[in-house]
Each structure stands twice: as structure tokens, then as C-alpha cells.
């Protein structure tokens, strides 16, 4: 049989390119999946770390607010014992109920709004016991609200500030507190005259602790979900707070 010359078949570049493309795609997809999985794992760790940091800071802030609040309230009851013992006893009962709230509810990150409002009512009633007829109150707190969760003792420092700086034993004064909820929006408005805290009372040296910590709590708990306006410089010499929070 005659020898048939060997002829090399032309290389199929199309398949080579296709195989290379498929291989590259496979490597790229595998690398992308690994990168995404690593990013997700890193992000999860970062979020867990941020949450732990927030929880630790919130615990620290609440620990500062609670003694500050009781320090002021006990000082008020101490003053009341020199005027009316029976009213002082009533005040202690209300304070006891408020302490139960602080002990049990502030251990949680959130509490029911109805409980928070009941707590504020007790506080206002406690403050009323020592006010003279020269202090005019305009308090509007809803008796019933559509239930929703809120951070405990978040509103109190603003209201506490009204009673701390908004009353005088020598001049007529007023305090206005308005709380309302529409949909998911909770609104707080306070207004009061500005008087200097008595330098003879220990809490006079602790001015601003509660408000400063509350602003920080708002930043941590409700980022981009709240607005806070404070007007402390006006011709009426009044202190006004306008707070709005979007609750879940």
C-alpha cells in the first residue's frame, strides 16, 4: 500500500478559546463566591462586634441615668418631709412603684410604650406634691395608645429637666408636656421657663448628665429615625424640646 503523507489537522482555535473562557469563568465565579462569603463572614463579625459595643454602651448610659434620676427624686422627697409627712409617705409609695419599673424594665432593651407612659405619669404626680400654686402645669399624656415598644426611660430626662430648671419659689412659672403618637411616630414636646438650679442642692452640680446620655442613646438606638430640636436661646427665656421618634 502506498504511503499516504501525514497531514496535521488545523488546530480548532474556537474550542480552545471556548474552553479557556469557560475555565476563566469557573475560576472567576469560584473566586467571587469565596470573596462574597468572606465579606459576609467579616460583615457578620463586624455587626456582632458593633452590637456588643452598642449594648455595652447602652448599659453604661442606663447605669448613669438611673442613679441620677433617683438622686434628684430622693432629694425632692427629703425636702417634702419638712413640709408634709403624709405627702412624703405618698411620694415614697410612688417612688417604690417607679423603682420596680427601673429595676425590671431597664434590664431589657425595650419596654411597652404604655408602661413608659405610666412611669412618666407617676413621676409627674410625684413632682406635683412639692409644687406651689405659682407653678402652672399643662400636662397632656395619652391614657391609651396603640401598643409599641420603646427604649425604657428614654423620655424621662427631658421631662425631668422641666421640673429641675422650670420652677421657681419666687416667681410664677409654667411647665408644658405634650406626648402624642400617630402611626409609628411618637412625639414629645416640652416647654418651660428657665431658672438656675439651686446651688444648695447636690443635683445642681449634675446638670445635663441625663440629657447628654439620652441624646447618645437616641443616636445608638434610633439612628436616622429621630429628630430632636432644642431651643434654649429665645427672647421668652424658655427651654423648648421637640422630639420625634419613628418606632417599629
Amino acid at each position: 500500500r502506498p504511503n499516504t503523507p501525514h497531514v496535521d489537522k488545523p488546530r480548532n482555535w474556537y474550542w480552545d478559546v471556548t474552553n479557556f473562557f469557560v475555565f476563566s469563568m469557573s475560576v472567576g465565579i469560584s473566586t467571587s463566591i469565596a470573596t462574597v462569603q468572606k465579606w459576609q463572614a467579616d460583615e457578620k463579625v463586624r455587626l456582632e462586634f458593633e452590637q456588643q459595643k452598642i449594648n455595652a454602651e447602652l448599659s453604661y448610659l442606663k447605669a448613669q441615668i438611673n442613679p441620677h434620676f433617683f438622686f434628684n427624686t430622693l432629694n425632692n422627697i427629703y425636702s417634702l418631709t419638712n413640709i408634709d409627712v403624709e405627702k412624703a409617705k405618698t411620694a415614697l409609695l410612688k417612688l417604690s412603684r417607679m423603682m420596680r419599673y427601673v429595676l425590671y424594665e431597664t434590664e431589657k432593651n425595650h419596654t411597652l410604650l404604655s408602661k413608659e407612659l405610666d412611669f412618666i405619669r407617676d413621676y409627674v404626680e410625684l413632682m406635683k406634691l412639692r409644687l406651689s400654686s405659682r407653678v402652672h402645669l399643662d400636662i397632656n399624656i395619652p391614657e391609651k395608645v396603640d401598643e409599641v415598644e420603646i427604649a425604657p426611660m428614654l423620655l424621662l430626662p427631658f421631662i425631668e429637666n422641666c421640673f429641675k430648671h422650670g420652677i421657681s419659689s419666687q416667681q410664677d412659672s409654667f411647665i408644658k408636656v405634650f406626648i402624642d403618637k400617630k402611626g409609628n411616630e411618637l412625639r414629645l414636646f416640652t416647654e418651660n421657663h428657665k431658672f438656675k438650679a439651686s446651688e444648695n442642692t447636690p443635683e445642681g452640680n449634675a446638670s445635663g448628665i441625663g440629657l447628654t446620655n439620652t441624646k447618645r442613646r437616641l443616636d445608638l438606638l434610633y439612628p436616622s429615625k429621630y429628630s430632636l430640636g432644642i431651643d434654649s436661646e429665645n427672647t421668652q427665656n424658655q427651654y423648648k424640646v421637640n422630639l420625634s421618634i419613628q418606632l417599629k
Side-chain angles (χ1 to χ4, degrees), residues 10-237:
R11 190 180 184 95
N12 192 332
W13 293 104
Y14 172 79
W15 288 110
D16 288 347
V17 171
T18 300
N19 290 335
F20 177 77
F21 179 75
V22 171
F23 173 77
S24 299
M25 284 286 292
S26 300
V27 172
I29 292 173
S30 299
T31 303
S32 298
I33 291 174
T35 302
V36 170
Q37 288 176 337
K38 184 178 186 304
W39 177 84
Q40 289 176 335
D42 292 344
E43 183 68 7
K44 183 179 180 181
V45 171
R46 186 188 69 80
L47 290 175
E48 289 176 350
F49 175 77
E50 286 296 321
Q51 189 62 47
Q52 291 174 359
K53 180 181 177 182
I54 288 173
N55 291 339
E57 187 162 357
L58 285 175
S59 297
Y60 173 71
L61 294 178
K62 285 192 295 185
Q64 282 188 306
I65 289 174
N66 295 352
H68 174 63
F69 160 70
F70 284 115
F71 186 73
N72 289 345
T73 306
L74 285 172
N75 187 76
N76 293 339
I77 295 176
Y78 174 78
S79 300
L80 189 60
T81 57
N82 296 322
I83 303 171
D84 191 324
V85 174
E86 289 304 315
K87 284 187 177 181
K89 290 180 179 179
T90 301
L92 284 173
L93 288 175
K94 289 184 178 294
L95 181 60
S96 176
R97 185 165 64 179
M98 295 167 72
M99 287 181 67
R100 283 196 297 271
Y101 176 86
V102 171
L103 287 173
Y104 297 114
E105 295 302 321
T106 59
E107 289 298 314
K108 312 169 188 175
N109 289 330
H110 295 89
T111 187
L112 295 178
L113 178 59
S114 60
K115 292 184 178 181
E116 179 77 0
L117 297 183
D118 287 341
F119 175 77
I120 291 173
R121 283 193 202 90
D122 281 343
Y123 175 80
V124 172
E125 289 301 315
L126 185 61
M127 293 298 101
K128 282 182 181 180
L129 294 175
R130 72 180 185 93
L131 297 181
S132 70
S133 59
R134 305 194 71 168
V135 182
H136 305 282
L137 298 181
D138 183 6
I139 310 295
N140 192 326
I141 302 174
E143 291 290 338
K144 294 183 179 181
V145 292
D146 293 334
E147 207 61 275
V148 68
E149 290 187 334
I150 187 174
M153 290 186 69
L154 191 66
L155 305 180
L156 176 71
F158 297 107
I159 298 170
E160 182 186 24
N161 189 68
C162 294
F163 287 93
K164 181 178 175 183
H165 297 286
I167 59 178
S168 170
S169 60
Q170 301 174 344
Q171 303 177 47
D172 288 340
S173 57
F174 82 96
I175 293 174
K176 181 176 182 178
V177 176
F178 175 83
I179 299 177
D180 185 32
K181 179 179 177 291
K182 290 186 177 180
N184 290 332
E185 182 185 18
L186 178 68
R187 297 181 298 168
L188 166 68
F189 175 77
T190 68
E191 185 178 355
N192 59 272
H193 284 125
K194 288 196 302 181
F195 300 100
K196 290 184 179 180
S198 173
E199 296 179 358
N200 297 323
T201 55
E203 78 266 24
N205 299 323
S207 177
I209 294 177
L211 287 180
T212 300
N213 289 347
T214 299
K215 291 175 187 176
R216 181 59 179 156
R217 289 184 74 198
L218 284 167
D219 288 336
L220 291 172
L221 290 169
Y222 302 99
S224 304
K225 293 182 180 180
Y226 83 94
S227 64
L228 174 62
I230 296 179
D231 178 13
S232 59
E233 302 295 334
N234 49 69
T235 57
Q236 297 87 7
N237 193 36

Side-chain angles (χ1 to χ4, degrees), residues 232-244:
S232 59
E233 302 295 334
N234 49 69
T235 57
Q236 297 87 7
N237 193 36
Q238 296 175 356
Y239 192 92
K240 303 177 183 179
V241 172
N242 204 326
L243 172 65
S244 173

